[in-house]
Amino acid sequence: MALATKSCLVSPLVVDKRLHVAASASSSGSSCSTARVPSWSKLGLTFYLRQSDFVGFGLRGARKSNSAQHGDASRSQGAAGGLKWWASATPREARQYEVANLDDILAERDACGVGYIASLKNEYSHKIVKDALTSLGCMEHRGGCGADNDSGDGAGVMTSIPWGLFKKWFQEQGLAEVDESHCGVGQVFLPRDESLAAAAKAVVEEVFKKEGVEVLGWRAVPVTESVVGHFAKITMPRIEQIFVKVSAEDAMDDIERELYISRKLIEKAASTEPWGEDFYFCSLSSRTIVYKGMLRSEVVGQFYDDLRNEDYTTQFAIYHRRFSTNTTPKWPLAQPMRFLGHNGEINTLQGNLNWMRSREATMESPIWRGRDAELRPFGNIKASDSANLDMVAELFMRSGYGPEETMMMMVPEAYKKHPTLMVKYPEIVDFYEYYKGQMEAWDGPALLLFSNGRTVGACLDRNGLRPARYWRTNDDLIYVASEVGVLDIPAANVTMKGRLGPGMMICVNLESGEVYENTEVKKRVANAKPYGKWLAEGSRKLEPVSFNDSTLYSPDSLLKHQQAFGYSSEDVQMIIESMASSGKEPTFCMGDDTPLAVLSERAHLLYDYFKQRFAQVTNPAIDSLREGLVMSLEMNLGKRENMLDAGPANAAQVTLSDPILSDGELSALQATESLKPATLSTFFDVNDGIEGALQRGLDKLCEAADEAVRSGSQLLILSDRTDDMDATKPAIPPLLAVGAVHHHLISNGLRMSASIVIDTAQCFSTHHFACLIGYGASAICPYLALETCRQWRMSTKTIAFIKNGKIPSITVEQTQKNFKKAVKAGLLKILSKMGISLLTSYHGAQIFEIYGLGGDVVDTAFRGSTSRIGGLTMNELANETVSFWTKGFAEEAAKKLENFGFIQLRPGGEYHGNNPEMSKLLHKAVREKNQSAYAVYQEHLSTRPVNVLRDLLEFQSERKPIPVENVEPASGIMERFVTGGMSLGAISRETHEVIAIAMNRIGGKSNSGEGGEDPIRWKHLSDVKEGLSDTLPHLKGLENGDIASSAIKQIASGRFGVTPSFLANSEQLEIKIAQGAKPGEGGQLPGKKVSPYIASLRNSKPGVPLISPPPHHDIYSIEDLAQLIYDLHQVNPVAKVSVKLVAEAGIGTVASGVAKANADVIQISGFDGGTGASPISSIKHAGGPWEMGLAETHQTLISNSLRERVALRVDGGLKSGVDVIMAAAMGADEFGFGSLAMIATGCIMARICHTNNCPVGVASQREEMRARFPGVPGDLVNYFLYVAEEVRGILAQLGYEKLDDIIGKTEILKRRDVQLAKTQSLDLSFLMANAGMPKWTSTQIRKQEVHSNGPVLDDVLLADPEIADAIQNEKSVEKSLKIYNVDRSVGGRVSGAIAKKYGDTGFAGEIKLKFEGSAGQSFGCFLTPGMHLRLVGEANDYVGKGMAGGKIVILPPEGCGFKAEDATIVGNTCLYGATGGQLFANGKAGERFAVRNSLAEAVIEGTGDHACEYMTGGCIVAIGKVGRNVAAGMTGGLGYFLDEDDTFPTKVNKEIVKMQRVTAPAGQQQLQRLLQTHMDETGSSKAKEILSNWEKFLPLFWQLVPPSEEETPEANANAEDRRVENLVAQTA
């Protein structure tokens, strides 16, 4: 039983080119219709039709919320098919303004393929339309389809208005000839119902009439409905065009403005009508028109008859294919929008919208002639990120900004650390500096195409996280696209080829035909106004002020303050003192097994109720460690004036280099007269009782803030600093104070008039700083944390440690600098995990979700944040606050701080789920195989304090119990068990192999984790005697037939150990997007854990630390994840692909996208998952409970008719059969055990994994520790047998025979009668909601065939008798064939077949394949030795991904019209994770060339930014210009870089590598040999020039040498000589 796939194979638009490879062309052509399964066509349709929001277009204003929504957490079925749950509690009529709601934002996420074509002669032609449609069809694989595999997620084109076509229609209708100079056209989606459509048209006409705009007529747009997919047809609107004439204006810009105002007025009028949500303007302009819909790429032209009409001519076209993570996207969300085509994700949308709403009170322009109010609101809180980006860009553009200026302002490049800009183009820097203080960047990965009808352009985000290639032809056409090869253009006609790098822009003036590349565009914009002069006159930087070197409090007073503000001894010792001494955020291990703050019996700081959000799938995390050059912590203080009136007044602000203030810097701000600072006390009075006191205190604070701002203050300093603490006047939690003032000022239209600074004692963790900034604070003075640093340094204990050499000597000031340094690094990490580059964009963006706060609290201070389970009321929060405060006033003063035990288990402290008592009980049960001991273990779990959300639930059933003998056997249940992805390196070889053997014995699956696997483990043991084997001599308790292979092999961001044979010998391949204990971050293996054995598996150097980057290199977006899934299905077509996600709000939408991306399994991990090492703040403050994530994912997949496509797996703190049944009822098919599997095999929870000192050898690489390992496979087998029997017993009690019967059956769950210490207001209906049941059983879903890539070019190759013979008998063969961009991952499947048979190095044959054309993504991925690919043409992203051997040669065709060395020939992220082989490319590469390369050699003629990032081996030669940040994180291998203009040194990240000239003879020979091979293979003229003038060019090369290579002959002439013939030549 195999499901249809989503993946695009071959577009019908290029099938005619592929007749010679007939087998690789799908007869149906479309990605959506490939291998279609008829039963899918109606699945979930009834549910779909029931949802009114599915049908609506979401143009109506925010829906009114119900005041009881927080109390009963009533759920509303949300737009775009995902279930929605609201966080706001106040009725709409009681609010003064609407905020962006996180749930709205999460309902719709997307990514896309885009491009444009423009005539530089300003010539109109139908060819441009045809070429745009062809290009669109060739990017079908970048789009997505609905559950029917036929409804596209959206596609469309924007062009000039085809007046020739429309004039003919006017003639045919007998209408007067149209005057183009005063007329416009609206492309309108109307309600399907005829009477409603008539009503809508009447409103439109009425508004136009009032505006003095003449309506010339309506035209029904001719369409062919039969090509529309089933689901798309249900929501398809009536599509008509309205023609209007604006006689009162002559200037085209004024006509555009009139049409803009008219449209805004029509939208407002429509919002109150019953048909309002079914009405939408695709475009209304006198210049441009948009044809779009919920269509697949190939049918856009088939659907819209106009697009096939030869009279439809244009001089430009923007095209767009959408991949929505939701399967019920709406017609209006298709793109292009009215101004933009957006491929990407705006990560800061909630903050952007709230700040735009704040600007409504101040933004006005004379250009609108007093009609500014009619433009409001700015943006639509219900629309997608792309739609809002378009709306705001359009607002600025209509207000007089040029398109290029608008994009520079909203999506600025990373100019701060850009040596070229800073030196050559200071005026551009001034532009960015000026607007940095006016507007936060709309941050996130984005390729933006835009046009106002006169200019067409494209720009890329600051981090270059989307592919963008461009080329120009000799007939004066210019093309920009996400991929090359979308059109078949003879190479001789191409005169220029290039790519957009990070922050770059290219624009075409359609009227003059001029092309402006990047700095040309930006110089024109920047020189238009004297930004530098304005900054010099008005802006000033806050000069650093030294930290205090003397204490403010006595030790007793300090202790009193610490107690009152909620400090524990852990906070002081493990966090503050650790950061003060080391300058780094402290790390810990094993995850978080304490209760959520709301479930805890102990008081928590307010921050603990907030979880940081993080990027996964729809957008990538950023690497703050290695790519920090795109990031900034700068903040501006002061009033932000009218943005539409650029001038010197707007520049009058104070700039902070970062948001952490010393006491002296705070004093300096208080003395800054221009800011008119006002200090507001943040205490509340409980003299009259606690009830209502906190709310009264907040009201008083907000009134004071309001009064101060109205009196001219531009800086509000909220302070809980006092010389006289009063027991009856506790401090308002600073986060609550900041959020309340922030939202109060927004609601009163005053937020842009003042900045908020918080002076607080209650801020010491990076998470605290992030929360305060995220909810509105511009800066923080953590005065008590700084005082704690000072007193720690001045303590006798610390002085003694320094004298004894236990800690380095450090000054009082340095401790505070270290603390600040650690906080800054932590803030960058928190920003980066959400994919945000700038603190100004994070500021006020509320990138958090709340667990345990009720509606009144949320609506007061955190409006728009999601709080799905409700929680503490304001009065309950007041009680918790007072409970801390009173500790500072105890009758008997404490001698020291209490240890709350939140981090480490302590007697009398917080409860930990993984505790010694539990471990001992489990060890006794599994080692003795003692059922009664397991029963005691069960009793321990059932009587524990409430620890997780599921502890608040229990089982119920209307069925009668059945005999346990009637329940499915334990063996069938254990097949569903898997273990967590624990890497070999983080844990010992013994632990890793014992777990794998045990899981294979029970038919479950173990997970390799990141780090590869020894091939010796892939064979069954046959030499076991008395439990011992010579094959695995370090293990005990073995049996013949055992196999230590991990059934699941993980592909993580580091790609360590990922080779073709590793992939080919897997039952399942897991893509690790995120890890529960540290989502949004990479991993780190300390150097002391990188033993020679570990290094050999990871293709790295022993003793050198290994850092896995955050997951972003080839999973920038949903379509990139789809490509990686495609790659893995390609290399191993019989292995299922799973995708590991971490629970957070919106995961259902993300999972929908993953299902559509053709994954077979989706894993949902909880925040409480284990880890070998992670920052404490990540362990404690990121990710959500798996119960929430699983429930949302299952329900959303059901709603979107996708549940049958994927098996759902859950993990995170599972301990028993009760947990298994709970997870099953919430929708899980399979169940993951991590920490408990380790405990069963011997772990004693010492929680020192990160130190390499595990006392029982579970998590150590030290030989003497590993020798103590006590585990045998039988122990883990026993544990899972007990769990399975427990599951059987529960099923019998509930009256069910098998797990299949209860999966997704939430009615067997009910709320448990248990009293929580803090609140009774939790609402768990979220977990028990039932969206229906899948059509298939869980077993059918789990056991369906592997999803297919459909027919691919590699299948044709493998079916060739000569190639098959060459593989079978290790012969040589050569083949030549054409290739197109739709041919993806070419070579991968052939390599997989070779690796399966011969391993990574055993193949002695030779397969030479010669291609001509444009290769699709991942050309040559996972190539094995013996494979030689030669491509005459060009390639897209990911060339040579994971290649282990062989050779890839890429060169342009002969007679091409451009210089090869100046043209881009391959895309981004080539050689990612390569473990061998060679690449020679006669042209330039994009960003991140050779990232994580382990052993490959390559010669390239230029690269983008971040070349050789994280490289651990191999050799890279670049003989052209390269981008910034070369060799960041490079710990192995060598790089040779030609530097002809002496600019290379400024581009190198020198943190690890050193630069030197090539002086060692062995290095010179290595370089010369590679250049000679490059010239021989590609005919490179540059290589020929270098070799012909060797003495001239050799001194111009730089050699980059990491420490591990310093003693090699290639880097050091004095190193031990090696014979020249052994230097180099890897077998290709």
Side-chain angles (χ1 to χ4, degrees), residues 111-377:
C112 329
V114 294
Y116 76 64
I117 305 170
S119 166
L120 302 181
K121 298 177 182 176
N122 202 24
E123 291 180 350
Y124 287 67
S125 72
H126 185 62
K127 177 183 182 297
I128 288 176
V129 179
K130 288 170 64 176
D131 284 352
L133 294 174
T134 300
S135 302
L136 193 57
C138 287
M139 283 200 287
E140 174 63 27
H141 54 275
R142 287 188 171 269
C145 291
D148 60 359
N149 273 332
D150 201 18
S151 296
D153 285 355
V157 294
M158 175 201 293
T159 69
S160 308
I161 296 174
W163 285 117
L165 173 67
F166 294 151
K167 284 180 178 179
K168 278 192 174 182
W169 179 81
F170 269 75
Q171 288 177 350
E172 292 166 0
Q173 302 301 311
L175 299 173
E177 187 171 345
V178 66
D179 176 10
E180 292 179 35
S181 64
H182 284 80
C183 289
V185 184
Q187 184 93 343
V188 191
F189 287 164
L190 294 165
R192 290 283 284 184
D193 181 88
E194 199 168 324
S195 61
L196 292 178
K201 291 163 75 169
V203 168
V204 171
E205 292 179 14
E206 179 65 21
V207 171
F208 277 131
K209 182 179 179 182
K210 288 180 179 177
E211 283 294 299
V213 175
E214 181 185 355
V215 175
L216 303 179
W218 290 86
R219 173 180 182 253
V221 178
V223 296
T224 303
E225 288 193 23
S226 60
V227 300
V228 179
H230 185 73
F231 283 174
K233 196 173 291 184
I234 295 169
T235 58
M236 193 181 95
R238 178 188 296 258
I239 307 172
E240 296 195 22
Q241 289 159 344
I242 183 171
F243 295 88
V244 296
K245 184 174 184 179
V246 183
S247 302
E249 305 289 353
D250 290 321
M252 193 68 85
D253 286 344
D254 289 332
I255 293 172
E256 287 288 285
R257 288 188 191 100
E258 176 53 55
L259 294 177
Y260 177 67
I261 284 185
S262 297
R263 195 191 83 223
K264 297 287 280 187
L265 294 173
I266 291 167
E267 288 171 353
K268 286 180 182 178
S271 68
T272 61
E273 298 290 342
W275 44 263
E277 293 194 358
D278 298 338
F279 176 87
Y280 175 79
F281 270 109
C282 300
S283 56
L284 176 62
S285 172
S286 60
R287 294 188 178 121
T288 61
I289 191 166
V290 173
Y291 284 74
K292 67 179 185 179
M294 254 177 76
L295 306 165
R296 291 179 283 116
S297 302
E298 67 174 32
V299 302
V300 174
Q302 298 171 32
F303 176 70
Y304 284 112
D305 298 352
D306 286 350
L307 296 177
R308 302 194 305 275
N309 193 317
E310 292 289 336
D311 292 324
Y312 194 125
T313 63
T314 180
Q315 87 274 46
F316 84 95
I318 291 176
Y319 54 89
H320 188 284
R321 174 62 165 109
R322 185 169 187 248
F323 191 143
S324 166
T325 55
N326 230 321
T327 57
T328 51
K330 306 166 186 176
W331 281 72
L333 294 183
Q335 296 193 46
M337 295 297 177
R338 300 170 186 123
F339 171 60
L340 293 171
H342 173 220
N343 172 15
E345 182 85 15
I346 301 301
N347 303 328
T348 53
L349 181 62
Q350 191 171 5
N352 293 130
L353 289 177
N354 285 344
W355 287 119
M356 285 307 298
R357 194 56 52 89
S358 303
R359 291 188 177 94
E360 289 179 6
T362 59
M363 276 178 61
E364 55 187 23
S365 169
I367 213 166
W368 294 111
R369 304 170 190 171
R371 303 188 68 181
D372 307 82
E374 295 170 18
L375 309 180
R376 299 169 190 142

Side-chain angles (χ1 to χ4, degrees), residues 1146-1175:
I1147 193 173
T1149 299
V1150 171
S1152 294
V1154 173
K1156 291 164 62 175
N1158 217 24
D1160 301 271
V1161 180
I1162 295 174
Q1163 176 163 326
I1164 308 298
S1165 295
F1167 73 91
D1168 46 0
T1171 177
S1174 174

